[in-house]
Amino acid sequence: MRDRILFFGMVLAFGLLPVEDARSDDPPAPKVEALGPSERTSSTWVVGDHVLEKSRSINATNFGLSAPSDADQSVALAKAISHAANSPGIDTVYIPSGTYRFSRPIQLRSGVNLIGDGVGKTILEGRRLRSYLLNARRIDESKAFVTGLTLRNRYRTVAMYDVSNLHFYHVEFAGGIVRLEGCSDISLEGNLFRDNLGKSGYASDNCDRIRIVHNRFESIENGSINLSRHRDCYVAWNEITAKSLLDSGYAGIRLPNDAMNNLVEHNFIENHGRGIFVLSSSENNVIRNNVVHGSTKQGVLIQSSANRLESNVIVDAGEQSIYVVDAVASSSPTPSIADHNHLLRNVVYDTRSQRGDRFIALKVSTEGNTVVGNVVSSQHGREFKAIRPDVGNVERDNEYRRDVDQDQVRSLVQSIKERVAEHLELDESGQSSVLGSPSGR
């Protein structure tokens, strides 16, 4: 809470993003329970704000799991998980440090926690595995945790189908995408997405109340977070980066296919094809207080109606900084109308020359939009605005000036990065320290 207060204090003090009273038509922010650092005591694991009793755990090595070994560990871990699922007094499978290789998918069971010794310490790795490494189907996980693990598999890392009430906490997802379909009430907090091949690091569909907070996405191939048909989800305080500009039509955060009533805030997005992309009839989403730094195409592209883009900072967009335009059938497989959006108090600036017809800060080509209180720097030649006239667009109090304070914006970026690093609990080696090593049972 102190960090959140400091963040807003900085914003107000710097005068970049003016204050406005909360609107009654904003979707309510989901209740976010603080998940603190993981701890180890003699008889319990403390994972966030949850306590897991070690007396209710088993050690997977007692079921034949071994490392280091080139042998397939699929059968041994399946035995341990099955034993925990069928034993009333057991709810946790502990996997000690080591690299374990799997030729078949690992199947989660309802109510069973998987706990390792930490990212980079307990490594579950697919070996010539073409399907997803970690799977579950049609189960209520009863608020179970997957924590303290590196999950590594090329292209496909995690797949959950019709799963609910599951927490991924301090996990490294390496090599492939995380895929949720038809899921609800799943949280991903304090995780590391690294070298993810495919459309997005998190690429999911038709989900409700997913919580994606305090994660770091790095070295993504095409995009980072794809919220297709997501409803009432919360995406906040994520650091979303790529080593260099991605030449991709995807985005740092993408909301396609009727994504509704989602809240996206306090994310830092860097070097993606687009920073934020709202498309294909996705409506009533609130996108606020994010920083988009560097994009090949638009900083923010909106091709849907009735969304709210407020108090974001867009830096060095490769084309338009903020672009609102219909998606027409001749150029898009998912045509949709982009009317009645609100663009409020966003800040746009550049750190290098951006001259030409494409470099427009505020481009609105649709009807009935509200464009109010935005600030655009003229210092490096970006054009101010191109807002379609005579179709009901409301435009007022927008400013075109040289004196956007870039140092203060950099401070905002740093505050997001520090918040993410705090929840990742990185040690001096850059790895995530999650849990101690109990003996299990």
Side-chain angles (χ1 to χ4, degrees):
M1 179 59 73
R2 184 178 69 87
D3 289 335
R4 187 178 291 259
I5 292 170
L6 285 173
F7 181 90
F8 281 107
M10 291 166 63
V11 171
L12 299 179
F14 299 151
L16 288 169
L17 310 176
V19 180
E20 184 193 31
D21 292 336
R23 288 171 53 98
S24 59
D25 58 352
D26 281 351
K31 183 179 180 182
V32 180
E33 297 180 356
L35 294 179
S38 302
E39 299 174 1
R40 179 190 175 205
T41 67
S42 59
S43 60
T44 62
W45 286 287
V46 179
V47 184
D49 62 350
H50 290 71
V51 177
L52 304 178
E53 299 290 337
K54 292 180 186 176
S55 62
R56 296 178 61 84
S57 72
I58 54 173
N59 190 321
T61 60
N62 295 333
F63 292 79
L65 196 74
S66 63
S69 172
D70 287 332
D72 180 18
Q73 305 295 309
S74 303
V75 172
L77 186 55
K79 287 180 179 179
I81 293 172
S82 178
H83 180 83
N86 293 303
S87 301
I90 303 297
D91 60 16
T92 298
V93 175
Y94 165 65
I95 307 172
S97 294
T99 298
Y100 306 88
R101 295 181 173 88
F102 297 84
S103 299
R104 285 177 281 178
I106 302 163
Q107 299 290 338
L108 287 181
R109 298 283 297 272
S110 180
V112 176
N113 305 294
L114 288 186
I115 293 184
D117 281 332
V119 165
K121 298 175 182 177
T122 299
I123 301 170
L124 310 185
E125 183 175 78
R127 186 181 65 177
R128 295 186 296 276
L129 180 61
R130 295 186 177 182
S131 59
Y132 287 91
L133 174 62
L134 184 67
N135 287 255
R137 291 180 179 272
R138 294 183 293 277
I139 58 174
D140 184 333
E141 278 287 356
S142 303
K143 299 184 179 180
F145 277 87
V146 176
T147 184
L149 302 169
T150 287
L151 302 174
R152 181 186 298 152
N153 193 43
R154 188 173 175 82
Y155 290 108
R156 297 177 176 90
T157 303
V158 172
M160 301 284 117
Y161 303 98
D162 299 313
V163 173
S164 61
N165 295 306
L166 177 63
H167 303 287
F168 290 95
Y169 186 71
H170 289 187
V171 175
E172 179 184 18
F173 304 104
I177 67 174
V178 173
R179 178 75 175 169
L180 310 183
E181 291 188 15
C183 295
S184 61
D185 300 294
I186 291 180
S187 70
L188 298 99
E189 176 157 6
N191 302 297
L192 178 61
F193 290 73
R194 177 178 287 168
D195 298 323
N196 303 103
L197 302 175
K199 294 180 179 179
S200 293
Y202 172 90
S204 300
D205 182 58
N206 192 26
C207 294
D208 296 276
R209 298 178 302 280
I210 306 301
R211 182 172 177 267
I212 305 173
V213 296
H214 304 134
N215 302 286
R216 178 178 293 162
F217 293 76
E218 54 185 50
S219 302
I220 304 298
E221 184 180 34
N222 283 297
S224 289
I225 299 176
N226 193 60
L227 302 167
S228 175
R229 293 198 294 170
H230 279 49
R231 297 163 294 270
D232 302 304
C233 299
Y234 186 58
V235 180
W237 298 104
N238 297 288
E239 182 182 352
I240 302 169
T241 69
K243 292 177 181 177
S244 58
L245 274 172
L246 299 177
D247 186 12
S248 169
Y250 283 84
I253 300 176
R254 187 170 181 263
L255 297 96
N257 305 324
D258 302 296
M260 300 284 185
N261 302 315
N262 301 291
L263 177 56
V264 176
E265 63 178 357
H266 304 305
N267 299 285
F268 173 65
I269 304 166
E270 182 178 46
N271 286 340
H272 279 63
R274 295 180 170 102
I276 298 171
F277 190 6
V278 185
L279 66 157
S280 49
S281 303
S282 295
E283 300 182 354
N284 298 317
N285 300 288
V286 174
I287 301 163
R288 65 191 184 195
N289 298 313
N290 303 285
V291 177
V292 175
H293 188 277
S295 58
T296 309
K297 304 179 188 298
Q298 298 83 15
V300 177
L301 176 60
I302 298 177
Q303 293 183 322
S304 296
S305 296
N307 295 285
R308 186 179 180 89
L309 184 73
E310 180 176 6
S311 300
N312 302 281
V313 179
I314 315 297
V315 184
D316 289 338
E319 296 180 3
Q320 302 87 0
S321 302
I322 300 172
Y323 190 14
V324 181
V325 62
D326 294 338
V328 296
S330 60
S331 61
S332 173
T334 54
S336 63
I337 302 300
D339 294 340
H340 305 293
N341 294 285
H342 287 72
L343 314 181
L344 309 174
R345 289 168 298 283
N346 300 285
V347 174
V348 173
Y349 78 88
D350 300 288
T351 62
R352 58 181 182 270
S353 178
Q354 303 280 31
R355 300 178 186 276
D357 294 341
R358 293 178 304 159
F359 300 111
I360 301 173
L362 306 170
K363 186 170 183 179
V364 178
S365 303
T366 58
E367 303 178 6
N369 301 282
T370 300
V371 186
V372 173
N374 301 283
V375 176
V376 176
S377 171
S378 62
Q379 183 174 4
H380 292 284
R382 184 176 294 274
E383 296 294 325
F384 184 19
K385 54 188 172 66
I387 299 174
R388 184 179 173 187
D390 304 322
V391 290
N393 290 314
V394 175
E395 175 193 353
R396 66 174 185 270
D397 300 330
N398 300 294
E399 297 184 55
Y400 190 47
R401 67 191 195 201
R402 289 183 60 87
D403 59 344
V404 173
D405 193 331
Q406 298 177 20
D407 288 337
Q408 310 302 348
V409 174
R410 280 191 285 269
S411 295
L412 297 181
V413 172
Q414 188 61 29
S415 72
I416 296 174
K417 289 184 175 182
E418 289 175 355
R419 176 75 171 259
V420 172
E422 174 188 341
H423 284 79
L424 282 172
E425 293 187 274
L426 295 179
D427 61 23
E428 293 180 358
S429 68
Q431 299 292 351
S432 175
S433 176
V434 182
L435 298 165
S437 303
S439 59
R441 195 179 67 176

